Amino acid sequence: MLKAAGAAAGAAGVGVGAGVGTTALAGPASAAGPVFAHPGLLHTRTDLDRMAAKVKAGARPYTAGFAKLTANRHAQSGWRANPQATVYRGAGSPQNYAALYNDIHAAYQNALRYHVSGESAHADTAVAILNAWSGKLTSIQGSADRFLAAGLYGYQFANAAELVRDHGDFALGRAQELMRNVFHPLSDSFLRDHNNAVVTNYWPNWDLAALACVLATGIFCDDRGVVDRAVEYFEHGDGMGSVKHAIPVVHEDGLAEWVEAGRDQGHALLGVGLMGTVCEMAWNQGIDLYGYDDSRFLKGAQYVAKWSLGGDVPYTANTRKKGAVGGWSGSETATEAARVDPAMSRPIWAMIANHYTKRRGLSASYVTRAAAKAAPEGGGGDYGPNSGGYDQLGFGTLAFTRDRVEGAAPSSSPSGDASGGGARPQGAVSASASAGRDLAATGSEDVVGWAAAAGVTAVAGGLLLLRRRDRVRRGGAE
């Protein structure tokens, strides 16, 4: 059984701190040393308690999100791990990286299911999977894809492990060593020298996968120096994954171009999902990357959401240099946003929409519509058998749906220090007022989008449907 240690993690020390760079919304879990709040990657104790309470109460859309989780084959307590000493992706033999990502998603889903249902068999399964891998994996090899493997599976492993870090049988120290010695070195190396390529050779999602792993390592291993490097790179990094390179052009209408929209839809969605993951993990440690540079990420996410829904968006021609340092070099120009398939779905929107509309009181109409359309969000195994369907942990409808805090003052548009300082959250609450609640859990709703999302419900057999809430019951609206 999970211990009660860490129950005060999350929002207990919320406050707004003015300063240059990021805005500190909460202090660390302890004033002594570099210790961080735990659980405190994608989910805080408050988040986990909210999920459990809402599902127990039969509240929508949480029940639909939980039904999506329990229907996934990875979320079953009978899952058995298949650990490997060396994982290969892109080159080498055998190409066995699917064993790693399938097991990580099984660990995460079982751990999340435990926190919602209280069934200890799922916690035990998650622990057994993670312990098996930390006891055997020593190396990630392959082509340049090894950096993607380290980044993606590293941040995911840390998140699964964070959910069971207080379990009596979990080998926490060994898991931390795996992050430090196997996942983190490749990700940190990529951010430093980009596989010895020209810094713009790799599109944003490469940087963002590595960045997510570095940040998750720092938090999971209580290493403030690693966290600081990740934050600095998000704000000022030279590669295409730093926020101003991934989102280079901001328009007066509040939309900002996502540079990878000039490549293709799938990779643009991946990048948005990874940047949202970085922002959420940082937020849960009191670091506001969501609001950095006048909520630049919101403007980029709005752009991608509108475009992915089939809307017209502008695109400024972007030329990037390619090749190896001291070797072959060339350039590539993207001149317009790629064509999209409005039916393409990835479980990335609920987290972003709920942050900006419920916590911050900002309008995010396109993101909200995308979240409603994607609901209930699934996870690994629900989006096809290939690796791309496992790039996000997912289940955002269950994990990130939030209630608006009573008395919250909504704000109609992003605001902050456009010169590059951290933006103060809209309607932020004081530490004393927020104890026991989510960080700056304030905000308004995009009524149409959220009404649609609230119409997601579960039916017998785990089948899910999205229905319009346009009927009126006698005595009030449904």
Side-chain angles (χ1 to χ4, degrees):
M1 297 293 291
L2 293 178
K3 299 176 182 177
V14 179
V16 178
V20 178
T22 57
T23 301
L25 299 178
S30 170
V35 179
F36 290 90
H38 299 292
L41 287 173
L42 285 175
H43 312 301
T44 67
R45 175 62 59 191
T46 302
D47 293 332
L48 298 169
D49 289 347
R50 179 185 66 248
M51 294 177 224
K54 291 290 189 179
V55 170
K56 183 177 181 180
R60 296 180 296 176
Y62 302 90
T63 50
F66 186 59
K68 193 76 172 177
L69 172 64
T70 58
N72 194 301
R73 69 185 183 89
H74 295 77
Q76 311 311 311
S77 60
W79 189 279
R80 295 295 178 264
N82 180 26
Q84 308 291 314
T86 301
V87 164
Y88 296 94
R89 177 168 174 169
S93 181
Q95 289 281 309
N96 58 355
Y97 63 100
L100 177 56
Y101 67 67
N102 274 283
D103 277 358
I104 289 174
H105 281 260
Y108 172 78
Q109 292 179 28
N110 271 279
L112 191 63
R113 185 170 178 176
Y114 163 74
H115 280 285
V116 177
S117 70
E119 297 172 272
S120 61
H122 293 290
D124 295 341
T125 297
V127 167
I129 295 168
L130 296 167
N131 283 350
W133 278 93
S134 68
K136 189 166 186 177
L137 180 62
T138 59
S139 179
I140 297 175
Q141 301 291 334
S143 66
D145 282 6
R146 69 189 184 278
F147 295 107
L148 286 177
L152 292 169
Y153 313 143
Y155 95 77
Q156 293 173 357
F157 182 94
N159 270 276
E162 183 78 353
L163 292 179
V164 295
R165 67 181 295 138
D166 294 320
H167 190 288
D169 294 329
F170 179 55
L172 174 60
R174 203 167 71 196
Q176 290 173 325
E177 288 303 302
L178 181 63
M179 290 300 301
R180 290 191 187 102
N181 297 333
V182 177
F183 293 114
H184 176 261
L186 282 170
S187 294
D188 187 60
S189 169
F190 187 84
L191 294 180
R192 293 179 187 277
D193 60 31
H194 293 87
N195 196 28
N196 295 315
V198 176
V199 71
T200 55
N201 184 75
Y202 294 96
W203 287 99
N205 70 86
W206 289 78
D207 264 8
L208 288 165
L211 186 60
C213 178
V214 171
L215 180 61
T217 300
I219 295 170
F220 183 65
C221 298
D222 289 312
D223 190 326
R224 186 168 297 279
V226 172
V227 170
D228 289 345
R229 288 203 302 276
V231 171
E232 172 65 19
Y233 195 93
F234 177 93
E235 296 177 349
H236 306 296
D238 292 331
M240 293 189 74
S242 62
V243 67
K244 293 182 183 179
H245 289 130
I247 311 170
V249 180
V250 179
H251 295 283
E252 292 183 358
D253 64 359
L255 297 183
E257 293 175 24
W258 189 268
V259 69
E260 208 155 0
R263 182 187 184 188
D264 61 55
Q265 183 183 8
H267 286 98
L269 292 173
L270 169 60
V272 171
L274 288 172
M275 188 172 285
T277 294
V278 168
C279 289
E280 184 70 15
M281 292 190 298
W283 176 273
N284 286 334
Q285 297 300 332
I287 304 166
D288 186 15
L289 300 183
Y290 275 121
Y292 179 74
D293 192 26
D294 198 21
S295 297
R296 194 181 191 97
F297 174 52
L298 168 59
K299 297 169 185 176
Q302 282 273 86
Y303 174 97
V304 173
K306 179 182 180 182
W307 169 63
S308 290
L309 290 168
D312 292 329
V313 293
Y315 190 87
T316 303
N318 180 278
T319 299
R320 64 191 186 93
K321 294 181 178 180
K322 299 172 62 180
V325 175
W328 175 86
S329 64
S331 65
E332 180 180 79
T333 300
T335 59
E336 61 183 357
R339 293 183 179 182
V340 301
D341 175 5
M344 182 180 288
S345 181
R346 290 291 184 269
I348 66 173
W349 297 113
M351 177 175 64
I352 301 167
N354 275 279
H355 172 79
Y356 284 113
T357 67
K358 300 297 184 68
R359 280 176 174 158
R360 303 290 292 270
L362 301 176
S363 176
S365 57
Y366 296 114
V367 168
T368 302
R369 292 175 200 172
K373 184 177 180 180
E377 290 181 355
D382 291 321
Y383 298 90
N386 299 323
S387 61
Y390 293 81
D391 287 342
Q392 286 87 31
L393 289 168
F395 300 103
T397 306
L398 169 67
F400 301 111
T401 299
R402 304 175 183 281
D403 294 324
R404 178 190 173 194
V405 174
E406 291 300 322
S411 175
S412 60
S413 61
S415 63
D417 179 5
S419 66
R424 290 176 66 94
Q426 305 303 306
V429 290
S430 67
S432 59
S434 63
R437 294 192 286 144
D438 277 345
L439 296 171
T442 64
S444 64
E445 297 179 286
D446 284 15
V447 178
V448 175
W450 288 123
V456 179
T457 185
V459 296
L463 297 176
L464 307 164
L465 62 94
L466 176 64
R467 63 180 178 83
R468 293 177 56 86
R469 304 191 70 204
D470 56 359
R471 289 178 293 164
V472 178
R473 286 178 173 171
R474 200 174 300 173
E478 180 183 9

